[in-house]
Amino acid sequence: QKEVEQDPGPLSVPEGAIVSLNCTYSNSAFQYFMWYRQYSRKGPELLMYTYSSGNKEDGRFTAQVDKSSKYISLFIRDSQPSDSATYLCAMIRVNQFYFGTGTSLTVIP
Amino acid sequence: GAVVSQHPSWVICKSGTSVKIECRSLDFQATTMFWYRQFPKQSLMLMATSNEGSKATYEQGVEKDKFLINHASLTLSTLTVTSAHPEDSSFYICSASGLKETQYFGPGTRLLVL
């Protein structure tokens, strides 16, 4: 079993919908949790960075971490076609990155 | 499946030395490998893309003579930081993709140049 699991999708939603992206992990020693957005042929762009349980909001994006359930989520409100991309979760433990495989999201106008 | 490893995970070196970082796809053939730099709490910056058996394609602003990339086989790519300086200290992360173009990321190599 991989240490970080992420449903690869693809996920298609209509414009304006709320999108929920999720990752689960198996090791409780993970310290930092990130969400990246990656457009085709570009490097992953850091969207959210958190290290504690709870919610963190930035504009239309909310990152949620539940350490007791070993579960992290990224919510996108009022989704736009420009949000169409691959979303990667990542975690850090002992200076090592652990990436999910990414979820491909398409927002349909 | 689809595991990418990097070696070493940690390296400390003196200024002026060269450091080689390996990126391996353990259970699939990687036709394309990508090298990124990751500064703390920042986005991954794409440095170069390499296809097996071909010269790497470097992103604008990345010195190809300083960051030597070799992709000699379908499971191994190496990044050599030549004459490393303290400003080269960073995480270096590789990713690999096969025929399906999904990128699988390695765990990163932390380089500290003293």
Side-chain angles (χ1 to χ4, degrees):
Chain A
Q1 182 190 6
K2 279 195 165 185
E3 295 216 43
V4 178
E5 299 277 359
Q6 182 176 10
D7 186 342
L11 182 62
S12 291
V13 300
E15 183 174 356
I18 297 175
V19 176
S20 172
L21 303 164
N22 310 295
C23 286
T24 58
Y25 60 96
S26 56
N27 194 315
S28 59
F30 283 118
Q31 301 161 294
Y32 303 97
F33 305 89
M34 291 83 70
W35 284 97
Y36 293 87
R37 176 175 62 195
Q38 185 174 25
Y39 294 111
S40 181
R41 298 189 181 88
K42 300 286 186 183
E45 172 194 4
L46 182 65
L47 289 176
M48 303 289 283
Y49 179 99
T50 185
Y51 57 87
S52 59
S53 280
N55 293 350
K56 183 176 181 179
E57 193 173 314
D58 184 2
R60 295 185 295 111
F61 298 93
T62 299
Q64 187 177 81
V65 175
D66 184 343
K67 288 189 175 181
S68 61
S69 301
K70 300 190 184 69
Y71 190 91
I72 67 170
S73 299
L74 178 70
F75 299 98
I76 307 174
R77 289 186 300 280
D78 187 25
S79 56
Q80 303 294 310
S82 58
D83 295 328
S84 299
T86 296
Y87 290 80
L88 292 153
C89 66
M91 307 174 192
I92 297 177
R93 175 171 61 89
V94 196
N95 284 314
Q96 291 280 277
F97 282 78
Y98 295 81
F99 286 87
T101 51
T103 300
S104 175
L105 170 68
T106 300
V107 180
I108 303 166
Chain B
V3 177
V4 175
S5 70
Q6 284 185 239
H7 178 80
S9 57
W10 245 113
V11 58
I12 301 173
C13 68
K14 291 182 179 180
S15 185
T17 59
S18 294
V19 175
K20 181 186 279 189
I21 302 168
E22 292 185 349
C23 176
R24 293 183 184 271
S25 57
L26 298 184
D27 49 6
F28 69 102
Q29 293 186 327
T31 51
T32 307
M33 286 187 168
F34 305 85
W35 285 96
Y36 298 89
R37 283 185 78 168
Q38 163 87 75
F39 292 105
K41 300 184 184 180
Q42 293 189 23
S43 302
L44 271 68
M45 186 193 81
L46 180 63
M47 298 174 67
T49 302
S50 73
N51 293 296
E52 184 264 339
S54 304
K55 286 185 178 179
T57 301
Y58 290 81
E59 295 297 301
Q60 193 172 10
V62 178
E63 299 174 59
K64 61 181 180 182
D65 294 330
K66 179 165 183 66
F67 299 99
L68 301 177
I69 291 172
N70 183 281
H71 191 167
S73 77
L74 285 171
T75 58
L76 173 65
S77 176
T78 59
L79 167 68
T80 301
V81 183
T82 61
S83 186
H85 287 94
E87 59 265 29
D88 298 324
S89 299
S90 181
F91 267 104
Y92 291 86
I93 295 175
C94 73
S95 71
S97 67
L99 295 175
K100 287 189 177 180
E101 297 190 353
T102 300
Q103 283 189 40
Y104 299 96
F105 287 82
T109 295
R110 185 165 186 178
L111 171 63
L112 179 61
V113 185
L114 303 177

